[in-house]
């Protein structure tokens, strides 16, 4: 195998070498893998040695390798030039000698990678070959081959994940395999950045992140340092300054955590780079004013960038935090990165973020930038980190300074001269400042307009007019609704006593409807039960018919199936007969078309497929014979053409030399003729100059007169312009003064109206609080009165109950001797009294809670008694026993109506209701205040709450006349 490889290298037969190595891999993969490794290493070593020999023989390597693509063939024009041109210089000979060997070396690397791909036993050799291929691309600046190499390696990994059932497939979850694949991608990233292939470098970063996401493992710190170091370069080239700063922050944290040899100077340099990278981020959001499509693209791009920077293996969006300049600066302050930076960088950060110096900001920032640009160098203890140059941030910081000056100037100035603004920003010309301002206005960072006619810059409000007017109608509607609710508050209607009866009627009606609904539900359930019985019978009948129909369909299907089977057999037989006829015809055509007309013999049954194979084999043989004849003819034509060109080469050279002599003579003649014409033109020009020299004095005088007149006109116009400007300035000053006074008056008037409104609202609040307090006091008093009244009613009911029990026990009739005492017992008053009934009862010897008639209270028991008192009073309670009552009669039922408690009013306020006319006329004077009675008795009037006592008294007093 070693000899076979050497022969392939000497003959530059890469295809044969690939085929031999594939066969050798099949032979020794399961037996002796080390033998395959030695052969492949020997193959690559021979290829490298041949390429180096060719390189040493070439004196100008850059010219020798001036080829865009090593895999491309020679162009037709190059072939024509090589045959037509008689001279063959050293450059062309070098190119013809060196380039083929480098092509062969490139094919060697591709062949070895293709042979070793996705093999767990050859992973180390695969990684070594990939590293050598990367070094080849780096050494000879082969950008096209590097892109193809990256794509090849990427496809190998994709196929590894796609076809998981391969034998000897590498296991990416194993630490050794994962580390080999990761080292290959890291080397790919390094070479891509060194060749300035930034697109390929970004794809390499995505490959590394995808590989780690696939195996769910975090790389080693040394690998992460290289990863973030290259990310800083990629993001800076792509002008993604925000992610560039985040990558620097990650790199700083890694160096601070894992690099124990890091000195204080190196840490200060890293912190300065992080802080300057964060300051270089634009202070405005690029999403403002963007379209929906742009926002979606920016969102996807931000997610990809955030994944690469954070190295997050979590794909859920809610677990990610959005990155921004403000969060980055706050994170730097929280982690102490700012304190580690150099003093110049700290001063620059304070000026940019915390100071407000619109006039002096640029002058203070400029010396700091000049000092910062001189700081830099390679870290002494971190070889993976590239050389740090702080001067790369100078342009971004100058742009940030211009934006800060514009932002701060817009807060204190309404307008400004362009010249003054140019002096405030000395870094750029005004056209550059104008471009920066356009971007700032576009992203809503500052609002300004440039008036080139007036030579001024006008600053305005940040809110655009459409944004202000977009919600003014809704704000106005809310204000009007609030004012309307304050002027006309909603009125709550108090409940009425009639509503209680309405509610009771509604309850009765609802119960009636419920009973009707229950009845209808019962009837409906009966109907549903009957219908279900009928449906069940129908379903059983349907099932029987279905089974019968199914059996008939199955029989019909069986007959149809047998018929189709017979038809298919017939068609198949016809097709076989047709194919046999076509095969015989094809054989006849083939034997009749050939020149020798050999008869072809076919063993076995002759089918169309067999015949087609015979025909194809015959056609392949004929094609091979034809190709051999064409190759022989091409070789003959090649020799003939070469001989012809060798014979015509000296003739072409002789004709060329002859033509060269003729054109040399022609050139000399043309040159003499041109010299003679130049002399003639010069003599004529001198004569013309002498003729026109007389007009020079008149021309100067005319020019001086014109200049003087223009100067006088310009001075007069400038004087008029200055006077007009002064008048305009004075008029604008007067207008501003008038507007200022008017605004002061309006502000004072608004303050006065506001004070009056506040005082009025305070008075309203005080009145409302006082009214609520009085209402609460009144409610407490009414509740106390109602409680007392309820207590008295309960006492009266208890006494009435005792009296009834005495009657029901069948007590003896009242004796004549006890009649006056029984007659003296007065019915209880309709309304309980506090002092007057007690005084009357004490005078007559009756119970203190019984009603005492007027004639009893006055002391005259016979003469002064009114006649109307003998009549039964339906409104006065009479507890006297009736003489006509029999002892064996059944007890009198309580004729009192059922008491229905009415719900109290909403405001708990008792209302007055007039008593019946008889009660008003015959009301005893005891309701008035007798001598020594308490004044509280005057409040005893008929109320709805006291209808229990009134009903009981009227019932007992009217028992006789009712009966």
């Amino acid at each position: 195998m070693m000899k076979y490889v050497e022969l392939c290298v000497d003959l530059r037969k890469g295809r044969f070498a690939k085929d031999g190595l594939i066969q050798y891999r099949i032979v020794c993969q399961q037996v002796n893998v080390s033998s395959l490794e030695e052969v492949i290493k020997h193959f690559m070593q021979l290829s490298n040695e041949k390429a180096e020999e060719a390189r040493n023989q070439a004196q100008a390597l850059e010219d020798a390798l001036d080829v865009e693509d090593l895999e491309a063939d020679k162009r037709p024009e190059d072939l024509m030039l090589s045959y037509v041109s008689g001279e063959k210089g050293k450059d062309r000979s070098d190119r013809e000698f060196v380039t083929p060997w480098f092509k062969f070396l490139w094919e060697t690397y591709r062949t070895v990678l293709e042979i070793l791909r996705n093999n767990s036993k050859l992973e180390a050799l695969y990684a070594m070959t990939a590293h050598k291929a990367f070094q080849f691309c780096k050494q000879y600046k082969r950008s096209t081959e590097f892109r193809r190499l990256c794509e090849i390696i990427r496809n190998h990994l994709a196929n590894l994940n796609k076809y998981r059932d391969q034998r000897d497939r590498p296991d990416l979850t194993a630490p050794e395999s994962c580390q080999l694949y990761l080292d290959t991608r890291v080397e790919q990233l390094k070479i891509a950045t060194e060749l300035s292939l930034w697109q390929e470098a970004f794809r390499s970063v995505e490959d590394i992140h995808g590989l780690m996401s696939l195996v769910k493992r975090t790389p080693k710190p040394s690998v992460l340092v290289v990863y973030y170091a290259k990310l800083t370069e990629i993001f800076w080239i792509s002008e993604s300054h925000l992610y560039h700063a985040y990558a620097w922050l990650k790199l700083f944290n890694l160096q601070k955590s894992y690099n124990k040899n890091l000195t204080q100077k190196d840490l200060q340099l890293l912190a300065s780079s992080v802080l300057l990278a964060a300051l270089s981020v634009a202070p405005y959001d690029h999403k403002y004013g963007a379209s929906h499509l742009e926002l979606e693209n920016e969102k996807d791009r931000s997610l990809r960038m955030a994944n690469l920077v954070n190295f997050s293996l979590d794909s859920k969006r809610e677990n990610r935090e959005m990155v921004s300049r403000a969060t980055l600066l706050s994170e730097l302050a929280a982690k102490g990165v700012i304190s580690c930076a150099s003093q110049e960088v700290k001063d620059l950060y304070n000026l940019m973020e915390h100071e407000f110096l619109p006039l002096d900001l640029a002058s203070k920032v400029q010396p700091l930038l000049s000092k910062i640009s001189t700081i830099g160098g390679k870290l002494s203890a971190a070889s993976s980190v590239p050389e740090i140059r702080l001067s790369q941030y100078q342009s971004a910081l100058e742009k940030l300074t211009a934006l800060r000056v514009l932002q701060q100037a817009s807060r204190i100035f309404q307008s400004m001269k362009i010249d003054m603004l140019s002096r405030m920003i000395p870094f750029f010309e005004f056209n550059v400042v104008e471009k920066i301002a356009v971007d700032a206005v576009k992203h809503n960072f500052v609002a300004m307009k440039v008036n080139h006619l007036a030579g001024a810059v006008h600053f305005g409000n940040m809110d655009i007019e459409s944004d202000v007017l977009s919600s003014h109608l809704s704000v106005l509607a809310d204000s009007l609704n609030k004012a309307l609710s304050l002027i006309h508050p909603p009125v709550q209607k108090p409940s009425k006593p009639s509503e209680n009866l309405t509610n009771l009627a509604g309850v009765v009606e609802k119960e009636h409807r419920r009973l009707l609904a229950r009845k209808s539900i019962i009837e409906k359930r009966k109907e549903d039960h009957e219908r279900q019985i009928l449906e069940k019978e129908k379903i059983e009948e349907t099932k029987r018919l279905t089974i019968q129909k199914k059996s008939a369909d199955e029989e019909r299907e069986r007959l149809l199936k047998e018929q189709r089977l017979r038809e298919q057999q017939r068609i198949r037989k016809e097709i076989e007969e047709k194919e046999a006829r076509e095969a015989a015809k094809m054989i006849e055509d083939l034997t009749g078309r050939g020149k020798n007309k050999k008869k072809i013999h076919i063993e076995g049954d002759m089918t169309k497929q067999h015949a087609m194979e015979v025909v194809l084999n015959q056609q392949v043989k004929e094609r091979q014979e034809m190709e051999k004849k064409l190759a022989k003819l091409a070789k003959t034509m090649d020799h003939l053409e070469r001989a012809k060109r060798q014979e015509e080469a000296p003739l072409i050279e002789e004709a060329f030399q002859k033509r060269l002599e003729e054109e040399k003579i022609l050139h000399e003649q043309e040159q003499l003729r041109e010299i003679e014409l130049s002399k003639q033109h010069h003599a004529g020009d001198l004569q013309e100059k002498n003729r026109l020299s007389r007009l020079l004095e008149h021309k100067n005088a005319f020019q001086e007169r014109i200049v003087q007149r223009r100067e006088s006109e310009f001075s007069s116009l400038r004087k008029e312009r200055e006077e007009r400007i002064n008048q305009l300035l004075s008029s604008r000053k007067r207008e501003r003064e008038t507007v200022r006074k008017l605004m002061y008056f309006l502000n004072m008037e608004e303050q006065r109206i506001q004070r009056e409104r506040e005082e009025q609202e305070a008075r309203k609040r005080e009145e409302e609080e006082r009214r609520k307090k009085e209402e609460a006091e009144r409610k407490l008093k009414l509740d106390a009165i109602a409680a007392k009244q309820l207590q008295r009613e309960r006492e009266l009911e208890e006494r009435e109950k005792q009296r009834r029990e005495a009657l029901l026990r069948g007590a003896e009739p009242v004796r004549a001797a006890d009649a006056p005492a029984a007659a003296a017992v007065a019915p209880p008053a309709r309304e309980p009294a506090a002092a007057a009934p007690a005084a009357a009862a004490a005078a007559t010897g009756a119970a203190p809670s019984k009603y005492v008639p007027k004639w009893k209270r006055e002391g005259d028991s016979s003469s002064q008694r009114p006649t109307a008192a003998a009549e039964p009073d339906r409104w006065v309670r009479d507890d006297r026993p009736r003489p006509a009552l029999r002892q064996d009669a059944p007890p009198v039922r309580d004729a009192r109506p059922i008491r229905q408690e009415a719900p109290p009013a909403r405001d708990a306020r008792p209302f007055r209701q007039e008593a019946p006319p008889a009660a008003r006329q015959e009301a005893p004077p005891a309701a008035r205040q007798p001598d020594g009675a308490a004044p509280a008795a005057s409040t005893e009037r008929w109320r709805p709450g006291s209808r229990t006592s009134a009903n009981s008294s009227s019932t007992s007093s009217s028992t006789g006349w009712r009966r």
Side-chain angles (χ1 to χ4, degrees):
M1 196 64 193
M2 295 288 187
K3 188 62 178 177
Y4 177 83
V5 168
E6 291 174 1
L7 289 173
C8 291
V9 171
D10 292 336
L11 299 175
R12 290 204 299 266
K13 299 294 183 180
R15 183 65 182 173
F16 292 132
K18 181 178 181 180
D19 294 338
L21 288 174
I22 290 174
Q23 295 296 328
Y24 193 67
R25 182 191 65 180
I26 296 172
V27 170
C28 64
Q29 182 175 0
Q30 303 297 331
V31 180
N32 191 4
V33 180
S34 60
S35 176
L36 178 62
E37 293 182 3
E38 292 176 1
V39 172
I40 290 177
K41 289 179 181 179
H42 185 62
F43 179 44
M44 290 191 294
Q45 183 181 359
L46 290 176
S47 301
N48 280 320
E49 288 175 357
K50 291 293 183 180
E52 288 296 328
E53 289 177 4
R55 178 191 174 192
N56 293 332
Q57 292 178 6
Q59 295 181 0
L61 179 61
E62 297 296 331
D63 294 336
L65 288 180
D66 190 11
V67 181
E68 287 294 331
D69 190 358
L70 292 176
E71 295 183 7
D73 296 328
K74 289 186 178 181
R75 295 176 297 175
E77 52 267 29
D78 295 336
L79 291 173
M80 291 176 63
L81 182 63
S82 64
Y83 286 113
V84 172
S85 178
E87 59 178 5
K88 292 186 178 181
K90 182 172 177 55
D91 295 340
R92 187 174 299 162
S93 62
D94 290 340
R95 184 178 296 112
E96 289 179 356
F97 183 75
V98 175
T99 303
W101 281 112
F102 278 95
K103 283 186 178 182
F104 181 77
L105 181 59
W106 167 243
E107 290 177 2
T108 301
Y109 287 129
R110 289 192 58 179
T111 299
V112 173
L113 289 174
E114 189 67 22
I115 292 172
L116 302 177
R117 65 183 179 93
N118 300 339
N119 197 321
S120 59
K121 298 179 180 180
L122 302 171
E123 286 178 335
L125 188 59
Y126 178 87
M128 184 192 70
T129 306
H131 283 261
K132 287 186 176 181
F134 289 141
Q135 294 300 324
F136 166 79
C137 297
K138 173 187 173 182
Q139 185 177 1
Y140 303 110
K141 304 294 188 296
R142 307 308 304 174
S143 58
T144 304
E145 284 72 27
F146 179 78
R147 292 191 186 94
R148 289 177 179 169
L149 180 62
C150 295
E151 193 64 29
I152 289 170
I153 296 176
R154 199 172 290 118
N155 290 334
H156 289 173
L157 182 60
N159 292 331
L160 178 63
N161 296 325
K162 185 177 180 181
Y163 305 106
R164 297 180 178 272
D165 54 349
Q166 294 179 356
R167 189 177 64 178
D168 297 330
R169 176 181 174 272
D171 187 10
L172 293 179
T173 58
E176 296 81 8
S177 301
C178 180
Q179 190 62 35
L180 287 173
Y181 277 85
L182 187 60
D183 292 340
T184 303
R185 267 68 183 175
V186 171
E187 185 67 18
Q188 174 182 332
L189 177 60
K190 290 180 181 179
I191 302 302
T193 53
E194 290 177 4
L195 293 178
S196 299
L197 300 175
W198 303 110
Q199 186 69 26
E200 201 61 39
F202 182 77
R203 295 183 68 184
S204 301
V205 169
E206 287 187 328
D207 291 342
I208 295 173
H209 183 267
L211 183 61
M212 291 299 99
S213 302
L214 184 65
V215 299
K216 302 294 183 182
R217 293 172 62 89
T218 303
K220 295 180 181 179
S222 58
V223 176
L224 286 179
V225 167
V226 179
Y227 177 86
Y228 286 115
K230 299 305 178 182
L231 264 184
T232 56
E233 298 181 26
I234 294 170
F235 285 142
W236 181 256
I237 294 297
S238 63
E239 296 182 357
S240 299
H241 294 167
L242 179 60
Y243 299 105
H244 170 75
Y246 267 96
W248 262 117
L249 178 59
K250 293 286 186 180
L251 185 59
F252 174 82
N253 293 332
L254 282 171
Q255 290 291 335
K256 188 176 180 182
S257 301
Y258 296 101
N259 195 350
K260 304 302 180 182
N261 300 324
L262 197 66
T263 61
Q264 187 64 30
K265 183 179 179 181
D266 297 338
L267 186 64
Q268 185 179 11
L269 192 58
L270 283 170
S272 302
S273 299
V274 175
L275 187 54
L276 290 179
L279 290 176
S280 301
V281 181
Y284 45 78
D285 190 6
H286 292 275
K287 297 179 182 178
Y288 185 87
S291 63
H292 178 71
L293 182 60
E294 292 175 352
L295 289 176
E296 291 296 324
N297 294 335
E298 183 64 22
K299 185 184 296 183
D300 296 337
R301 180 175 177 272
S302 300
L303 288 175
R304 289 176 62 192
M305 297 292 186
N307 281 338
L308 296 179
V309 173
N310 294 330
F311 215 89
S312 174
L313 303 180
D314 193 358
S315 61
K316 295 182 179 179
R317 292 192 174 187
E318 58 269 17
N319 294 335
R320 301 191 184 106
E321 58 181 21
M322 297 305 293
V323 294
S324 63
R325 187 177 187 268
T327 56
L328 176 60
L329 290 175
S330 62
E331 188 175 357
L332 294 181
K335 292 185 176 181
V337 180
I338 298 177
S339 60
C340 297
S342 61
Q343 188 61 37
E344 292 83 4
V345 178
K346 291 180 185 177
D347 297 339
L348 181 63
Y349 169 76
N350 292 327
L351 284 174
M352 291 291 189
E353 300 299 325
H354 300 102
E355 297 293 336
F356 187 82
L357 301 169
L359 299 177
D360 301 329
L361 181 62
S363 61
K364 291 186 176 182
V365 167
Q366 194 167 10
L368 292 175
L369 290 179
S370 60
K371 291 180 181 179
I372 290 172
S373 61
T374 59
I375 301 174
K378 189 172 180 63
L379 300 183
S380 59
S383 59
S384 299
V385 180
E387 183 179 0
I388 297 176
R389 299 187 306 275
L390 301 185
S391 58
Q392 65 178 350
Y393 301 108
Q394 185 172 359
S395 59
L397 293 173
E398 289 175 355
K399 182 179 178 181
L400 177 64
T401 305
L403 289 172
R404 290 300 185 195
V405 170
L406 292 174
Q407 184 187 25
Q408 296 177 7
S410 65
R411 296 178 181 175
I412 60 175
F413 294 102
Q414 291 184 351
S415 61
M416 180 186 294
K417 290 291 184 182
I418 292 178
D419 298 334
M420 182 178 179
L421 185 60
S422 299
R423 289 194 299 271
M424 290 171 61
I425 307 175
F427 307 117
F428 307 107
E429 297 293 333
F430 183 73
N431 56 354
V432 181
V433 176
E434 192 173 6
K435 291 180 181 178
I436 296 173
V438 167
D439 289 335
V441 172
K442 177 183 177 183
H443 298 100
N444 201 27
F445 181 71
V446 66
M448 59 180 291
K449 296 180 181 179
V450 181
N451 190 351
H452 288 282
L453 292 177
V457 177
H458 302 281
F459 300 97
N461 190 11
M462 289 295 292
D463 293 330
I464 305 176
E465 186 177 1
S466 61
D467 295 335
V468 176
L469 297 178
S470 61
S471 61
H472 72 286
L473 290 178
S474 59
V475 174
L476 179 62
D478 294 338
S479 302
L480 291 177
N481 286 330
K482 290 180 181 178
L484 183 62
S485 62
L486 291 175
I487 296 172
H488 299 292
V491 180
Q492 297 179 354
K493 296 182 179 180
S495 61
K496 297 180 180 180
S498 59
E499 293 180 358
N500 299 325
L501 298 176
T502 306
N503 293 336
L504 185 59
V507 171
V508 174
E509 182 67 18
K510 185 177 180 181
E511 184 68 19
H512 180 65
R513 286 197 300 269
R514 189 182 67 81
L515 293 175
L516 292 177
R518 184 171 180 273
K519 182 179 179 182
S520 63
I521 289 171
I522 292 171
E523 293 177 355
K524 187 177 181 181
R525 287 180 179 176
K526 290 181 180 179
E527 294 176 357
D528 291 342
H529 183 64
E530 293 176 358
R531 187 168 55 253
Q532 288 177 1
I533 293 172
L534 294 176
E535 288 180 355
K536 189 175 181 180
E537 293 177 355
K538 290 181 179 179
I539 290 171
E540 291 177 355
E541 183 66 21
T542 305
K543 286 182 178 178
R544 187 181 61 80
L545 295 176
T546 304
I547 293 171
Q548 185 178 359
K549 185 178 179 181
K550 186 177 180 181
S551 59
D553 292 340
E554 289 177 354
E555 182 67 20
R556 192 183 308 108
E557 183 71 21
R558 186 182 62 80
L559 296 175
L560 290 175
K561 189 174 181 180
E562 290 178 356
Q563 184 179 359
R564 283 197 299 268
L565 185 60
R566 290 192 297 269
E567 185 69 20
Q568 289 176 0
Q569 291 176 355
R570 184 184 60 82
I571 293 172
R572 191 182 300 110
K573 188 176 180 180
E574 291 179 357
I575 291 173
E576 290 175 355
E577 293 176 355
K578 184 178 179 181
E579 288 180 353
R581 290 194 300 270
E582 290 178 355
K585 186 176 180 182
M586 290 172 64
I587 297 299
E588 291 177 0
D589 294 340
L590 181 61
T591 55
R593 188 173 61 248
K595 294 182 180 180
N596 50 8
K597 294 184 179 181
K598 292 182 180 180
K599 188 174 182 180
I600 299 173
H601 177 70
I602 299 176
E603 297 179 355
D605 296 335
M606 184 176 59
T607 61
K608 184 178 180 180
Q609 186 69 23
H610 194 188
M612 289 178 65
E613 291 177 359
V614 173
V615 171
L616 288 176
N617 292 332
Q618 188 66 25
Q619 290 177 355
V620 168
K621 290 180 181 179
E622 293 178 357
R623 191 181 300 112
Q624 289 176 355
E625 293 176 357
M626 183 62 68
E627 288 177 357
K628 290 180 181 179
K629 292 180 181 179
L630 290 176
K632 187 177 180 180
L633 180 60
K635 190 174 182 180
T636 304
M637 294 294 294
D638 188 11
H639 287 289
L640 181 61
E641 184 69 20
R642 185 180 302 171
K644 185 173 65 174
R645 292 188 179 184
Q646 288 177 357
E647 292 295 329
E648 68 182 7
L651 299 177
I652 292 174
E653 180 66 22
E654 184 181 356
F656 174 73
Q657 294 295 336
K658 184 178 180 180
R659 178 68 180 273
L660 191 63
E661 294 293 335
E662 292 176 356
E663 292 196 355
K664 184 177 180 180
I665 296 170
L666 182 62
H667 172 69
E668 291 175 355
Q669 293 176 359
E670 291 292 335
Q671 191 173 7
L672 293 174
R673 190 182 301 110
E674 186 68 26
I675 291 171
E676 187 66 26
L677 290 175
S678 297
K679 289 180 179 179
Q680 294 177 4
H681 286 306
H682 181 67
D685 291 340
L686 289 176
Q687 292 177 3
E688 186 69 16
K689 179 181 179 183
N690 294 330
R691 187 178 67 83
L692 296 176
S693 61
R694 296 174 298 171
L695 300 176
L696 183 61
E697 295 179 358
H698 300 285
K699 175 254 182 185
N700 293 333
F702 178 73
Q703 182 179 356
E704 185 177 0
R705 190 166 59 253
I706 292 297
V707 170
Q708 290 177 357
R709 188 176 75 241
R710 295 288 176 85
E711 287 180 353
S712 61
E713 290 177 357
F714 174 73
S715 60
S716 62
L717 289 174
R718 183 173 59 185
K719 186 176 181 181
E720 291 177 359
R721 178 176 174 276
E722 291 177 354
E723 291 177 356
R724 188 166 61 253
I725 289 174
N726 292 331
Q727 292 176 1
L728 184 60
L729 291 175
S730 61
S731 62
R732 288 186 178 178
K733 186 176 181 181
R734 289 193 298 273
E735 290 176 359
R736 286 197 300 271
E737 188 68 25
T738 304
V739 171
R740 191 179 297 111
K741 290 180 180 179
L742 181 60
M743 293 301 294
Y744 176 75
F745 172 74
L746 291 176
N747 290 333
M748 295 301 293
E749 186 67 19
E750 288 179 358
Q751 292 176 5
R752 183 184 63 79
I753 293 172
Q754 183 68 19
R755 286 196 301 272
E756 291 178 356
R757 188 182 296 111
E758 291 176 356
E759 292 175 358
Q760 186 177 3
E761 290 178 355
R763 286 196 298 272
K764 285 183 179 180
R765 286 194 298 271
E766 292 176 359
E767 183 67 24
E768 184 68 22
E769 291 176 358
R770 185 183 60 77
R771 188 183 63 78
K772 289 181 179 179
K773 187 175 180 182
E774 291 177 356
E775 185 70 21
E777 292 177 356
R778 186 177 62 81
K779 188 174 180 181
L780 290 174
K781 290 180 181 180
L782 292 175
D783 292 342
I785 293 171
K788 290 179 181 180
Q789 185 176 353
L790 182 61
Q791 183 66 26
R792 285 195 290 270
E793 288 178 358
R794 288 176 180 174
E795 292 177 358
L796 291 175
E797 288 179 358
E798 184 67 26
R799 290 172 185 169
E800 179 67 20
K801 183 177 180 182
Q802 293 175 2
R803 187 185 64 80
R804 286 181 181 176
E805 289 176 355
L807 290 175
L808 291 174
R809 282 194 301 268
E812 291 296 327
V814 181
R815 297 287 183 264
D818 298 334
V825 178
R830 288 170 38 236
E831 296 180 3
T844 58
S849 62
K850 299 296 183 178
Y851 170 73
V852 181
K854 183 178 180 182
W855 59 273
K856 273 283 187 186
R857 283 184 276 123
E858 292 178 355
D860 190 1
S861 60
S862 61
S863 62
Q864 297 181 2
R865 182 177 180 180
T867 57
E871 297 177 2
D873 188 2
R874 61 191 295 268
W875 297 96
V876 180
R877 179 177 174 179
D878 188 8
D879 293 337
R880 293 175 296 177
R882 305 298 177 184
L885 185 64
R886 292 167 51 185
Q887 294 183 2
D888 55 350
V892 181
R893 280 192 171 184
D894 189 3
R896 288 184 300 170
I898 300 173
R899 190 172 78 172
Q900 296 180 358
E901 293 292 339
R906 182 175 295 178
D907 54 357
R909 182 184 302 172
F911 57 89
R912 183 176 177 181
Q913 183 173 349
E914 295 295 335
R920 287 201 302 270
Q921 292 178 4
E922 299 178 6
R928 302 172 188 162
Q929 297 181 9
D931 297 336
S938 62
T939 60
E940 298 297 331
R941 295 180 181 178
W942 185 84
R943 295 184 179 88
S946 62
R947 62 179 177 269
T948 304
S949 61
N951 291 336
S952 61
S953 63
S954 61
T955 302
S956 60
S957 62
S958 60
T959 304
W961 64 268
R962 279 181 189 160
R963 194 172 291 163

